[in-house]
Amino acid sequence: MPKIYLIAFLIVTIFLPYSVKGQQGFPYCESFQGQIEREQTVFGGDARLFDGVLRLTEAVMDQSGYVYIDIPFSSRFGVKASFEYFSYGGDGADGLTVFLFDGASNFFAPGGFGGSLGYAPRMGGTGLTRAYMGIGFDSFGNFGNTSEGKIGGFPGQAIQLHPNSIVVRGPGQGTNGYPFVAGVKTNEGGMLGLPEDQRFPISSGGIGTRRVTDPDQPGYRKVIVKLRPKDSGIGFELDVEMIFTTVRGNPRQISLLENIDYPYPAPETLKIGFAASTGGQTNIHEIRNLLVEVADEDNLQQPEAAPLEDLVVCLGQENFLELPADLIQLKNDNSRISCMNFFQTQEEISEQIADPCLQDDCESRVLRLQEGDFKYLGQGGRFSFTPDEEFSGDVVQVFYTVTDNYGKTSTGDPLTLRVNEAPDPVTVFINDLPLDSLAACPGDEVELSLYSADEVSELEWYLDGELLEGQTGLDLTITGPGEYQARAISAQGCPLISGSVEINYPEFPGLEIPSTIFVCQPDLFPDIRSYITAFDGDLFDYQIENEAGDTFENQAIPEINMEGLYYLRVKPKEIDCWSDPVTFRLSVPDEPLEASFDYVLNATGLKEEAPEGILADDRIRFLDQSSGSPQSWQWDFGDGNTSNQRSPAHVFGDKGEFLVTLTVQTGPDCEASYQMLITITRTYRVMFPSGFTPTREEDNFFIPKTKAIAEMDLKIFSAWGEFLYQTTDLNGDGWDGTLEGNPLPPGTYAYRADFLTTRGEQVTRSGKFLLIR
């Protein structure tokens, strides 16, 4: 296949396809009467779609549900929202809220439920995340008082209920804010109520009643909220209106709150949501037919567009196009194109503009004609046209409108496409080969080349969807990873986009191995692969080279059977270059690996200090006597304690038989074990001398040697039983062979001693000894 040649040709902007982003702006429609129409409609708690509405709670105690629209709306020109709500079927609690919160927030958490209706804090909890405004439709009456930690409310005591009220609360975050702003009581008169002919309860009916959806039937409710920017100053003016029916066939629209000063600066964008709750009393709470629009339409202007003619597209492909920036005039502050619609005739445009919900949901808007499909691509002025396979003409004309993020739409203009024959596709070759991908060695240069049967113009290269500035040649030399693609214009003026090729520069894994590997037996060599840290034979190849230059790869590595110095390398399987080597030595012992040990008392170096053997509190030194050059030691003392020292010291601390096990290793495949039973019969020691000589420098006092003794009472008697001496001092010198300061004659004497051990045991010893002079 020949390389292509570049020619000059001018066409409307084309671009690579991309993932569609969610619509951001007005209007927003969600009927809740079927499937959720937007993935950005998020609900939780007990909320669920049911029977053509979004049901927030059942008429069951202690339920809570919420929904919010995860699409930010500009607050610059205010917000207007309308929705139908249904509250019925229970004994009157608690209510529901419609709320606004900061559109820049990527985290959502409702406020406290119960009387806080999912907006304000409740009993030490937190309120709605980054809340801006909450309007409560309160059946039970707690949203308008100061109970549960709320700030401000209707006049009256903190826990006084204000049923059938609509209450506005202000901004808050965490446990701070959410103040009472305004309120009206819908079913009573007075300063805070309504005229008698305008009163109605928040709920349409009690236990056993049903949803009222017909505006002509008593119990119907529809809310209209308008948040209008002030003519001067910070904040908004708030109106809350209600369409309700108390007399059959006579729906009425009244103003419940009008021109309420809401003096809080708004975030740049807002999101809208709803919440409802029940407590000890209940109601079913539902909403449907939500419409969110801009409030201050009088100060907004329509975008202006112009006819777009002679755009060139080609058969056999989806043609990606974009409106020229100078063709569209967006006249509102901070406005942008949020939607583009296509129409077969000019007459269809007025019908579209009249219904705001028909302007909504541009993400999947497609006009299907006999000639092919026009599709808005969800961002700015980008769209595509895919000719039908049976298309035989050379021109297609439609009409188009653009809608900005405030919901204002242009009047409509013609769009004409000139359709050419399908061009031959273009292909990117890798190193002159028709590959889809290549894994390259570090530092290697890779040559990409564009091939086609036809001439093209305006060649551009892209890396991961981003234009590579200045790269307009047929060949591209690269040294970095990513997804590469070329685009150009065919000789007929058609946009051409190559398939993507992926270039990888795989990372080498860290390579670790012990500097010396000790062979277990002189004639038994291990598998070196088991010594490689994080060895992964599925992803990587391994090579070992000896000093003579012989190499062993992967499955051949276990064939290594010579002592000496070796070089280990690794590489990802998809490439042909090896890593820098890591050296290690293979050491062969003169004798097989065998485990063995002995022990001594740590204090004396002897096996035992007395005939009764080892005491529980004796510190025992275990001595490794293994052969075969072990490299690791693992001791198990049989009492739940272990050690990895070569010759550790250990105190058992109790009587019993303990099977001590030593396991030695030279590597993961080479180990040996040895066991010895250690028996401990006592927890204390008392040793009396058989005699003493007061006139010598050593053993000139009579006193026992003890261990683990807490108390002692020692008495000395003559051979005829005469009491001579007594002491309780464990640390004293003992008896010096005198009575009242006078030396006693040599001979046989007797002792009796009572002891209390450190573990509380009573011990008595008696016997005879010699006094020698």
Side-chain angles (χ1 to χ4, degrees), residues 266-296:
E268 184 177 341
T269 60
L270 294 166
K271 296 177 183 177
I272 191 170
F274 297 81
S277 60
T278 65
Q281 293 179 251
T282 69
N283 260 337
I284 294 171
H285 297 95
E286 300 166 335
I287 60 171
R288 75 172 188 181
N289 290 336
L290 170 64
L291 171 62
V292 184
E293 303 174 273
V294 69
D296 190 15

mmCIF file of all heavy atoms in Angstrom, residues 266-296:
data_model
loop_
_atom_site.group_PDB
_atom_site.id
_atom_site.type_symbol
_atom_site.label_atom_id
_atom_site.label_comp_id
_atom_site.label_asym_id
_atom_site.label_seq_id
_atom_site.Cartn_x
_atom_site.Cartn_y
_atom_site.Cartn_z
ATOM 1 N N ALA A 266 -25.234 33.540 46.786
ATOM 2 C CA ALA A 266 -25.388 32.182 46.250
ATOM 3 C C ALA A 266 -24.069 31.690 45.672
ATOM 4 O O ALA A 266 -23.263 32.473 45.163
ATOM 5 C CB ALA A 266 -26.460 32.153 45.170
ATOM 6 N N PRO A 267 -23.822 30.377 45.721
ATOM 7 C CA PRO A 267 -22.692 29.818 44.976
ATOM 8 C C PRO A 267 -22.891 30.074 43.485
ATOM 9 O O PRO A 267 -23.988 30.412 43.034
ATOM 10 C CB PRO A 267 -22.756 28.317 45.294
ATOM 11 C CG PRO A 267 -23.676 28.179 46.455
ATOM 12 C CD PRO A 267 -24.603 29.345 46.411
ATOM 13 N N GLU A 268 -21.839 29.893 42.712
ATOM 14 C CA GLU A 268 -21.927 30.126 41.270
ATOM 15 C C GLU A 268 -22.936 29.201 40.615
ATOM 16 O O GLU A 268 -23.645 29.582 39.688
ATOM 17 C CB GLU A 268 -20.552 29.944 40.626
ATOM 18 C CG GLU A 268 -20.542 30.252 39.147
ATOM 19 C CD GLU A 268 -19.165 30.147 38.537
ATOM 20 O OE1 GLU A 268 -18.178 30.194 39.301
ATOM 21 O OE2 GLU A 268 -19.058 30.016 37.300
ATOM 22 N N THR A 269 -23.021 27.951 41.105
ATOM 23 C CA THR A 269 -24.007 27.003 40.591
ATOM 24 C C THR A 269 -24.730 26.351 41.759
ATOM 25 O O THR A 269 -24.220 26.306 42.885
ATOM 26 C CB THR A 269 -23.360 25.913 39.719
ATOM 27 O OG1 THR A 269 -22.395 25.193 40.503
ATOM 28 C CG2 THR A 269 -22.685 26.510 38.500
ATOM 29 N N LEU A 270 -25.913 25.830 41.471
ATOM 30 C CA LEU A 270 -26.736 25.155 42.474
ATOM 31 C C LEU A 270 -27.216 23.823 41.925
ATOM 32 O O LEU A 270 -27.310 23.625 40.714
ATOM 33 C CB LEU A 270 -27.943 26.012 42.850
ATOM 34 C CG LEU A 270 -27.660 27.340 43.566
ATOM 35 C CD1 LEU A 270 -28.908 28.219 43.557
ATOM 36 C CD2 LEU A 270 -27.181 27.103 44.988
ATOM 37 N N LYS A 271 -27.522 22.906 42.838
ATOM 38 C CA LYS A 271 -28.213 21.673 42.503
ATOM 39 C C LYS A 271 -29.476 21.589 43.344
ATOM 40 O O LYS A 271 -29.553 22.178 44.421
ATOM 41 C CB LYS A 271 -27.314 20.450 42.785
ATOM 42 C CG LYS A 271 -26.055 20.396 41.936
ATOM 43 C CD LYS A 271 -25.182 19.207 42.318
ATOM 44 C CE LYS A 271 -23.884 19.186 41.526
ATOM 45 N NZ LYS A 271 -22.988 18.065 41.947
ATOM 46 N N ILE A 272 -30.462 20.834 42.840
ATOM 47 C CA ILE A 272 -31.765 20.762 43.495
ATOM 48 C C ILE A 272 -32.030 19.331 43.963
ATOM 49 O O ILE A 272 -31.544 18.370 43.368
ATOM 50 C CB ILE A 272 -32.893 21.243 42.551
ATOM 51 C CG1 ILE A 272 -34.205 21.434 43.316
ATOM 52 C CG2 ILE A 272 -33.072 20.291 41.377
ATOM 53 C CD1 ILE A 272 -35.281 22.135 42.499
ATOM 54 N N GLY A 273 -32.800 19.219 45.050
ATOM 55 C CA GLY A 273 -33.147 17.888 45.550
ATOM 56 C C GLY A 273 -34.386 17.941 46.428
ATOM 57 O O GLY A 273 -34.926 19.017 46.729
ATOM 58 N N PHE A 274 -34.852 16.755 46.849
ATOM 59 C CA PHE A 274 -36.036 16.616 47.686
ATOM 60 C C PHE A 274 -35.753 15.579 48.761
ATOM 61 O O PHE A 274 -34.974 14.650 48.550
ATOM 62 C CB PHE A 274 -37.252 16.154 46.861
ATOM 63 C CG PHE A 274 -37.686 17.108 45.795
ATOM 64 C CD1 PHE A 274 -37.036 17.150 44.563
ATOM 65 C CD2 PHE A 274 -38.742 17.982 46.017
ATOM 66 C CE1 PHE A 274 -37.434 18.025 43.568
ATOM 67 C CE2 PHE A 274 -39.145 18.859 45.021
ATOM 68 C CZ PHE A 274 -38.493 18.892 43.799
ATOM 69 N N ALA A 275 -36.410 15.724 49.908
ATOM 70 C CA ALA A 275 -36.313 14.717 50.974
ATOM 71 C C ALA A 275 -37.648 14.667 51.702
ATOM 72 O O ALA A 275 -38.409 15.640 51.711
ATOM 73 C CB ALA A 275 -35.176 15.042 51.941
ATOM 74 N N ALA A 276 -37.925 13.522 52.326
ATOM 75 C CA ALA A 276 -39.147 13.366 53.118
ATOM 76 C C ALA A 276 -38.881 12.370 54.224
ATOM 77 O O ALA A 276 -37.962 11.538 54.137
ATOM 78 C CB ALA A 276 -40.317 12.902 52.243
ATOM 79 N N SER A 277 -39.696 12.446 55.292
ATOM 80 C CA SER A 277 -39.497 11.528 56.414
ATOM 81 C C SER A 277 -40.801 11.307 57.154
ATOM 82 O O SER A 277 -41.741 12.099 57.068
ATOM 83 C CB SER A 277 -38.431 12.076 57.378
ATOM 84 O OG SER A 277 -38.824 13.333 57.894
ATOM 85 N N THR A 278 -40.830 10.188 57.882
ATOM 86 C CA THR A 278 -41.913 9.895 58.822
ATOM 87 C C THR A 278 -41.289 9.617 60.182
ATOM 88 O O THR A 278 -40.088 9.378 60.291
ATOM 89 C CB THR A 278 -42.741 8.678 58.384
ATOM 90 O OG1 THR A 278 -41.905 7.510 58.420
ATOM 91 C CG2 THR A 278 -43.280 8.849 56.973
ATOM 92 N N GLY A 279 -42.100 9.630 61.224
ATOM 93 C CA GLY A 279 -41.630 9.317 62.572
ATOM 94 C C GLY A 279 -42.607 8.395 63.254
ATOM 95 O O GLY A 279 -42.945 7.331 62.734
ATOM 96 N N GLY A 280 -43.102 8.836 64.422
ATOM 97 C CA GLY A 280 -44.130 8.059 65.105
ATOM 98 C C GLY A 280 -45.455 8.122 64.393
ATOM 99 O O GLY A 280 -46.317 7.270 64.585
ATOM 100 N N GLN A 281 -45.654 9.180 63.575
ATOM 101 C CA GLN A 281 -46.814 9.278 62.700
ATOM 102 C C GLN A 281 -46.326 9.259 61.251
ATOM 103 O O GLN A 281 -45.137 9.473 60.981
ATOM 104 C CB GLN A 281 -47.608 10.554 63.009
ATOM 105 C CG GLN A 281 -48.259 10.514 64.390
ATOM 106 C CD GLN A 281 -49.010 11.790 64.698
ATOM 107 O OE1 GLN A 281 -48.598 12.580 65.527
ATOM 108 N NE2 GLN A 281 -50.129 11.997 64.018
ATOM 109 N N THR A 282 -47.238 9.026 60.331
ATOM 110 C CA THR A 282 -46.789 8.693 58.975
ATOM 111 C C THR A 282 -47.618 9.379 57.906
ATOM 112 O O THR A 282 -48.714 9.881 58.154
ATOM 113 C CB THR A 282 -46.871 7.173 58.744
ATOM 114 O OG1 THR A 282 -48.253 6.784 58.705
ATOM 115 C CG2 THR A 282 -46.141 6.400 59.815
ATOM 116 N N ASN A 283 -47.051 9.372 56.685
ATOM 117 C CA ASN A 283 -47.741 9.709 55.441
ATOM 118 C C ASN A 283 -46.944 9.102 54.294
ATOM 119 O O ASN A 283 -45.727 8.901 54.409
ATOM 120 C CB ASN A 283 -47.831 11.228 55.223
ATOM 121 C CG ASN A 283 -49.189 11.798 55.618
ATOM 122 O OD1 ASN A 283 -50.183 11.088 55.657
ATOM 123 N ND2 ASN A 283 -49.211 13.089 55.934
ATOM 124 N N ILE A 284 -47.627 8.842 53.199
ATOM 125 C CA ILE A 284 -46.932 8.592 51.936
ATOM 126 C C ILE A 284 -46.519 9.947 51.375
ATOM 127 O O ILE A 284 -47.312 10.889 51.356
ATOM 128 C CB ILE A 284 -47.838 7.844 50.945
ATOM 129 C CG1 ILE A 284 -48.150 6.434 51.486
ATOM 130 C CG2 ILE A 284 -47.200 7.761 49.571
ATOM 131 C CD1 ILE A 284 -49.206 5.704 50.676
ATOM 132 N N HIS A 285 -45.248 10.079 50.932
ATOM 133 C CA HIS A 285 -44.753 11.319 50.335
ATOM 134 C C HIS A 285 -44.231 10.996 48.941
ATOM 135 O O HIS A 285 -43.367 10.131 48.788
ATOM 136 C CB HIS A 285 -43.639 11.938 51.180
ATOM 137 C CG HIS A 285 -44.067 12.343 52.547
ATOM 138 N ND1 HIS A 285 -43.902 11.533 53.653
ATOM 139 C CD2 HIS A 285 -44.687 13.469 52.988
ATOM 140 C CE1 HIS A 285 -44.369 12.148 54.725
ATOM 141 N NE2 HIS A 285 -44.855 13.327 54.355
ATOM 142 N N GLU A 286 -44.732 11.735 47.915
ATOM 143 C CA GLU A 286 -44.355 11.462 46.532
ATOM 144 C C GLU A 286 -44.208 12.781 45.771
ATOM 145 O O GLU A 286 -44.809 13.796 46.139
ATOM 146 C CB GLU A 286 -45.422 10.605 45.839
ATOM 147 C CG GLU A 286 -45.663 9.262 46.492
ATOM 148 C CD GLU A 286 -46.928 8.579 46.001
ATOM 149 O OE1 GLU A 286 -47.847 9.300 45.535
ATOM 150 O OE2 GLU A 286 -46.998 7.336 46.086
ATOM 151 N N ILE A 287 -43.424 12.723 44.679
ATOM 152 C CA ILE A 287 -43.324 13.866 43.769
ATOM 153 C C ILE A 287 -43.333 13.355 42.328
ATOM 154 O O ILE A 287 -43.029 12.186 42.069
ATOM 155 C CB ILE A 287 -42.049 14.710 44.007
ATOM 156 C CG1 ILE A 287 -40.800 13.844 43.804
ATOM 157 C CG2 ILE A 287 -42.057 15.360 45.367
ATOM 158 C CD1 ILE A 287 -39.514 14.632 43.813
ATOM 159 N N ARG A 288 -43.652 14.243 41.393
ATOM 160 C CA ARG A 288 -43.528 13.938 39.967
ATOM 161 C C ARG A 288 -43.515 15.248 39.171
ATOM 162 O O ARG A 288 -43.768 16.334 39.710
ATOM 163 C CB ARG A 288 -44.657 13.027 39.482
ATOM 164 C CG ARG A 288 -45.989 13.702 39.308
ATOM 165 C CD ARG A 288 -47.018 12.800 38.639
ATOM 166 N NE ARG A 288 -48.239 13.542 38.325
ATOM 167 C CZ ARG A 288 -49.314 13.013 37.762
ATOM 168 N NH1 ARG A 288 -49.335 11.715 37.471
ATOM 169 N NH2 ARG A 288 -50.377 13.760 37.501
ATOM 170 N N ASN A 289 -43.203 15.144 37.869
ATOM 171 C CA ASN A 289 -43.235 16.258 36.923
ATOM 172 C C ASN A 289 -42.415 17.460 37.411
ATOM 173 O O ASN A 289 -42.903 18.587 37.506
ATOM 174 C CB ASN A 289 -44.674 16.688 36.626
ATOM 175 C CG ASN A 289 -45.416 15.639 35.818
ATOM 176 O OD1 ASN A 289 -44.804 14.842 35.116
ATOM 177 N ND2 ASN A 289 -46.737 15.626 35.917
ATOM 178 N N LEU A 290 -41.151 17.190 37.699
ATOM 179 C CA LEU A 290 -40.228 18.256 38.094
ATOM 180 C C LEU A 290 -39.741 18.998 36.854
ATOM 181 O O LEU A 290 -39.314 18.382 35.872
ATOM 182 C CB LEU A 290 -39.025 17.660 38.836
ATOM 183 C CG LEU A 290 -37.844 18.605 39.102
ATOM 184 C CD1 LEU A 290 -38.264 19.731 40.034
ATOM 185 C CD2 LEU A 290 -36.659 17.836 39.671
ATOM 186 N N LEU A 291 -39.809 20.332 36.895
ATOM 187 C CA LEU A 291 -39.276 21.188 35.838
ATOM 188 C C LEU A 291 -38.455 22.285 36.497
ATOM 189 O O LEU A 291 -38.955 23.002 37.370
ATOM 190 C CB LEU A 291 -40.412 21.801 35.008
ATOM 191 C CG LEU A 291 -40.009 22.895 34.007
ATOM 192 C CD1 LEU A 291 -39.043 22.343 32.957
ATOM 193 C CD2 LEU A 291 -41.251 23.498 33.339
ATOM 194 N N VAL A 292 -37.185 22.414 36.092
ATOM 195 C CA VAL A 292 -36.304 23.459 36.613
ATOM 196 C C VAL A 292 -35.916 24.370 35.449
ATOM 197 O O VAL A 292 -35.408 23.898 34.422
ATOM 198 C CB VAL A 292 -35.039 22.855 37.261
ATOM 199 C CG1 VAL A 292 -34.191 23.965 37.882
ATOM 200 C CG2 VAL A 292 -35.409 21.823 38.315
ATOM 201 N N GLU A 293 -36.177 25.673 35.627
ATOM 202 C CA GLU A 293 -35.899 26.652 34.577
ATOM 203 C C GLU A 293 -35.183 27.852 35.189
ATOM 204 O O GLU A 293 -35.074 27.985 36.408
ATOM 205 C CB GLU A 293 -37.204 27.124 33.929
ATOM 206 C CG GLU A 293 -38.060 26.021 33.339
ATOM 207 C CD GLU A 293 -39.385 26.566 32.860
ATOM 208 O OE1 GLU A 293 -40.320 26.634 33.682
ATOM 209 O OE2 GLU A 293 -39.484 26.926 31.671
ATOM 210 N N VAL A 294 -34.749 28.756 34.334
ATOM 211 C CA VAL A 294 -34.191 30.017 34.805
ATOM 212 C C VAL A 294 -35.344 30.929 35.221
ATOM 213 O O VAL A 294 -36.428 30.900 34.620
ATOM 214 C CB VAL A 294 -33.318 30.666 33.714
ATOM 215 C CG1 VAL A 294 -34.161 31.138 32.550
ATOM 216 C CG2 VAL A 294 -32.490 31.802 34.276
ATOM 217 N N ALA A 295 -35.136 31.741 36.265
ATOM 218 C CA ALA A 295 -36.229 32.571 36.782
ATOM 219 C C ALA A 295 -36.315 33.929 36.093
ATOM 220 O O ALA A 295 -37.397 34.404 35.766
ATOM 221 C CB ALA A 295 -36.056 32.764 38.289
ATOM 222 N N ASP A 296 -35.169 34.566 35.849
ATOM 223 C CA ASP A 296 -35.161 35.942 35.349
ATOM 224 C C ASP A 296 -35.063 35.952 33.826
ATOM 225 O O ASP A 296 -34.083 36.428 33.240
ATOM 226 C CB ASP A 296 -33.981 36.686 35.978
ATOM 227 C CG ASP A 296 -34.049 38.183 35.707
ATOM 228 O OD1 ASP A 296 -35.126 38.660 35.295
ATOM 229 O OD2 ASP A 296 -33.020 38.856 35.903
#
